[in-house]
Amino acid sequence: MDEYLNIALPKGRLGDQSYALLKKAGLECPELEDPGRRLIFTSAENKVRYFWVKPSDVAIYVERGAADLGIVGKDILSESRPDVYELLDLGIGKCRMCVAAPKSFEDDFRGTLRVATKFTGCAKAWYGAKGRDIDIIHLNGSVEIAPILGLSDVIVDIVETGTTLRENGLVVVEEIFPISARLIANKAAYKFKEQRTRELAGRLSEVINE
Amino acid sequence: MDINDILTEMSGLEQLIFRLRALYGKAGYRQYQMSKFEEYDLYARNRDFLASEQIISFTDTDGKLMALKPDVTLSIIKNLKDMPDRLQRLYYDERVYRVSSGSGSFQELRQLGLECMGAVDDDALLEVLELACGTLAEIGGQAVLELSQIDILRGIFDAMGLSYAQWDMVLPLVQSKNLQGLKALLSQLAPDYSEASEFLQKLVSAPGDPEGVIRLLRSAGPGLVDPASIDQLEKLIAGLPEDYRKIIRIDFSLTGNSRYYNGIIFQGFILGIPSRVLAGGQYDRMMKRMGKASAACGFALYLNLLERMIDARDAGCEGKEA
């Protein structure tokens, strides 16, 4: 075992939870537990290097080979469809991709449906499969206020507890797919680090099922 | 200035292309040169065969809609005389025009590859595989040539009674080795075929060691895997020189486009390059679709990926010498 495993972790709560699982699976990195302002951490003992990156960038680091492995939400994978292996559902960061609308809303299928979302790919795929004509309004945040202000008829967004929706007078109309964090791997790196990657995925699977 | 001076002046990538052309020429492959342009209709009809769907088109002086080549293989299939009883060996070194996945704008890419068309038997297939291994060896560094057999996958899908529309749902999960997703989807699509479903999951997740995968294939339930396909796979690997056998892996998450490819498909990797540098396989289905009776196989090398690595390697060597 002379090769390092390079792992991209999403900054924030999901990254902390992910590292806790990786530590239990034998890839402890004491440097990372006292991070300061650094973003790259190495454990020579466990031959692992971690990077903290923006959650939406994890898949890019992995697909482009800057990281061998990464942990990323299914929402981001579904939206950007990177060419990577999706080796394990870690069962953390659970939420749902949903269509939500004001309580009074009912789709009468007359005219184009206005959909506000950060996840334009998911929205297009969902309504495309239904044959529903839509107008996508791409927003970068606070999507919930779009129907209130008359900007859109519905929104497509991530719903965790539903509190934000309720507080803004919205309800879930349809669930598109469940979301959780996934262990992903660069396809080329996997060929050369297959044994270590498979062992890690196996240990993580045991840790999750403990 | 003699030939050695010229060689020394060439970039690392130019030198590699020079060596590869010599390798292919020595194996009996002749260079096939073609026009930069082709009728747009050829690509429009076969859009899903192309790496990127967008094509640069223009109207010729006679009013015909033309395209800058986004692909070489389709032009060769179209223009080469169909001779199913003979073997035609060709290599090409061409420029193609595709949309970059990163920037979303068109770029010119240099593509080197070879095609073997006509009476392609197992010997010809072995020859192409050997040249693919030889190509990776010329690039240098640690390499892997990964094989898959698309007819075996097709057989398992058929055994589960999956429709083409269902294949399109299953294939992305196979390609991404998403076993949990695959298990959940197959339990919905083919609830009565748990044996085939479990076998597919095992196959997709098996370590790439060829002996292990072949043992697994032979353990399949009756009627699930055609023994002739396993024999062919085993014979091809056994036929390679020992140095090349060492870099072979089998991975059934490699599926190619099943509407065009059949039989053996493969891709090559070099340590340090983040995606495949070489891809190819048998494409008899594509030939048939274009009205040709010949069988065919070949591969292309993605030179744009190699350029950066070779430059970095050369710079490293110079640094060490200094």
Side-chain angles (χ1 to χ4, degrees):
Chain A
M1 190 182 81
D2 49 0
E3 280 277 339
Y4 274 76
L5 270 186
N6 298 300
I7 305 177
L9 292 176
K11 267 191 260 179
R13 189 158 52 111
L14 183 61
D16 295 337
Q17 289 175 308
S18 306
Y19 173 67
L21 290 178
L22 287 157
K23 184 178 173 180
K24 272 192 182 173
L27 289 188
E28 186 179 7
C29 180
E31 265 189 10
L32 186 141
E33 291 170 33
D34 181 22
R37 295 178 73 90
R38 283 178 306 159
L39 297 171
I40 302 177
F41 311 92
T42 306
S43 164
E45 190 189 347
N46 291 319
K47 297 273 181 194
V48 65
R49 194 175 291 119
Y50 289 106
F51 322 126
W52 284 127
V53 301
K54 199 174 166 185
S56 56
D57 290 343
V58 169
I60 300 168
Y61 278 82
V62 175
E63 187 180 26
R64 297 278 182 144
D68 304 316
L69 298 167
I71 297 197
V72 62
K74 184 68 180 174
D75 51 325
I76 293 161
L77 288 179
S78 299
E79 183 62 24
S80 61
R81 298 182 182 275
D83 186 21
V84 294
Y85 291 137
E86 189 182 322
L87 299 176
L88 192 64
D89 181 346
L90 297 174
I92 53 173
K94 284 187 175 176
C95 46
R96 301 171 292 155
M97 183 69 75
C98 293
V99 178
K103 280 178 199 157
S104 56
F105 172 78
E106 202 171 317
D107 189 0
D108 56 9
F109 292 87
R110 284 167 63 186
T112 305
L113 186 71
R114 295 171 305 153
V115 183
T117 185
K118 202 160 67 170
F119 302 94
T120 51
C122 292
K124 270 185 202 165
W126 177 251
Y127 285 105
K130 289 165 167 271
R132 182 75 174 97
D133 197 17
I134 59 165
D135 178 18
I136 295 224
I137 301 149
H138 182 264
L139 297 176
N140 292 304
S142 303
V143 182
E144 295 85 358
I145 63 169
I148 302 169
L149 300 177
L151 182 62
S152 74
D153 300 311
V154 299
I155 64 168
V156 167
D157 205 11
I158 293 171
V159 178
E160 198 172 345
T161 59
T163 309
T164 316
L165 288 184
R166 273 194 301 279
E167 287 179 359
N168 287 287
L170 303 179
V171 290
V172 170
V173 179
E174 289 171 294
E175 181 179 320
I176 301 180
F177 56 83
I179 296 168
S180 53
R182 309 297 164 107
L183 174 71
I184 59 169
N186 173 274
K187 288 190 171 181
Y190 183 88
K191 313 296 164 196
F192 299 99
K193 298 178 181 177
E194 186 183 0
Q195 198 184 337
R196 273 203 84 189
T197 305
R198 292 175 64 89
E199 282 170 7
L200 175 62
R203 284 200 304 272
L204 278 171
S205 180
E206 285 168 18
V207 168
I208 296 161
N209 293 317
E210 263 173 15
Chain B
M1 186 181 261
D2 65 14
I3 186 77
N4 288 323
D5 293 328
I6 295 170
L7 280 173
T8 316
E9 292 232 328
M10 282 179 174
S11 70
L13 185 69
E14 287 288 346
Q15 288 180 31
L16 172 68
I17 292 169
F18 191 79
R19 291 198 306 275
L20 290 174
R21 288 173 59 153
L23 174 76
Y24 304 154
K26 212 171 144 190
Y29 286 71
R30 65 179 170 85
Q31 190 174 3
Y32 187 88
Q33 276 179 312
M34 57 196 95
S35 158
K36 267 191 169 37
F37 317 128
E38 186 68 77
E39 283 182 31
Y40 175 82
D41 191 44
L42 171 68
Y43 307 115
R45 273 186 283 119
N46 299 289
R47 226 173 250 272
D48 50 351
F49 183 74
L50 305 174
S52 74
E53 286 201 359
Q54 279 110 328
I55 301 161
I56 303 177
S57 63
F58 63 97
T59 309
D60 210 345
T61 49
D62 60 0
K64 233 183 230 172
L65 190 59
M66 303 294 285
L68 256 73
K69 278 197 314 277
D71 175 83
V72 178
T73 306
L74 282 174
S75 285
I76 297 183
I77 299 174
K78 178 183 162 236
N79 298 319
L80 196 72
K81 195 175 170 199
D82 192 19
M83 291 194 281
D85 302 327
R86 279 183 49 193
L87 205 57
Q88 302 193 75
R89 296 178 169 92
L90 312 159
Y91 77 86
Y92 58 85
D93 177 9
E94 295 285 333
R95 258 85 179 169
V96 293
Y97 303 86
R98 291 179 181 170
V99 172
S100 151
S101 57
S103 67
S105 53
F106 279 102
Q107 57 180 178
E108 183 187 74
L109 301 170
R110 190 167 177 182
Q111 199 173 72
L112 186 71
L114 62 81
E115 314 289 353
C116 188
M117 290 179 174
V120 177
D121 56 8
D122 281 357
D123 288 340
L125 205 49
L126 179 62
E127 178 183 288
V128 171
L129 279 179
E130 209 171 320
L131 283 166
C133 292
T135 301
L136 295 175
E138 282 293 347
I139 298 167
Q142 203 179 329
V144 164
L145 188 78
E146 183 176 88
L147 303 185
S148 181
Q149 221 288 6
I150 205 161
D151 292 337
I152 290 179
L153 273 180
R154 187 177 284 126
I156 299 169
F157 287 180
D158 286 346
M160 286 190 279
L162 298 182
S163 66
Y164 282 121
Q166 289 172 331
W167 283 33
D168 289 341
M169 295 162 76
V170 173
L171 279 173
L173 299 171
V174 169
Q175 288 157 355
S176 61
K177 290 186 185 281
N178 181 348
L179 293 186
Q180 288 151 307
L182 189 60
K183 189 177 176 183
L185 181 64
L186 290 177
S187 68
Q188 284 175 28
L189 298 181
D192 301 329
Y193 299 94
S194 58
E195 192 193 350
S197 162
E198 277 166 29
F199 184 74
L200 179 64
Q201 291 165 53
K202 272 188 200 167
L203 201 56
V204 169
S205 61
D209 154 52
E211 278 181 24
V213 178
I214 284 172
R215 259 199 313 277
L216 177 63
L217 287 169
R218 294 214 187 276
S219 74
L224 206 50
V225 180
D226 177 12
S229 298
I230 311 174
D231 293 343
Q232 184 204 30
L233 200 53
E234 195 168 35
K235 196 177 135 194
L236 286 171
I237 296 170
L240 290 168
E242 196 188 340
D243 280 356
Y244 291 172
R245 272 205 306 274
K246 285 182 196 159
I247 68 164
I248 298 291
R249 312 289 288 166
I250 303 179
D251 190 334
F252 277 89
S253 72
L254 169 62
T255 66
N257 185 330
S258 56
R259 289 183 180 89
Y260 299 102
Y261 291 101
N262 58 287
I264 302 286
I265 53 172
F266 53 89
Q267 55 184 5
F269 297 89
I270 296 284
L271 181 63
I273 298 183
S275 51
R276 64 188 188 174
V277 295
L278 176 156
Q282 293 178 267
Y283 52 93
D284 303 351
R285 281 176 174 258
M286 184 67 204
M287 298 291 280
K288 210 173 277 177
R289 190 180 151 128
M290 289 181 65
K292 308 279 178 169
S294 293
C297 66
F299 63 83
L301 189 60
Y302 302 111
L303 294 170
N304 56 323
L305 292 172
L306 288 171
E307 194 164 18
R308 188 182 295 270
M309 186 207 79
I310 291 171
D311 286 350
R313 199 164 62 187
D314 289 352
C317 287
E318 279 166 24
K320 275 177 197 164
E321 280 163 17

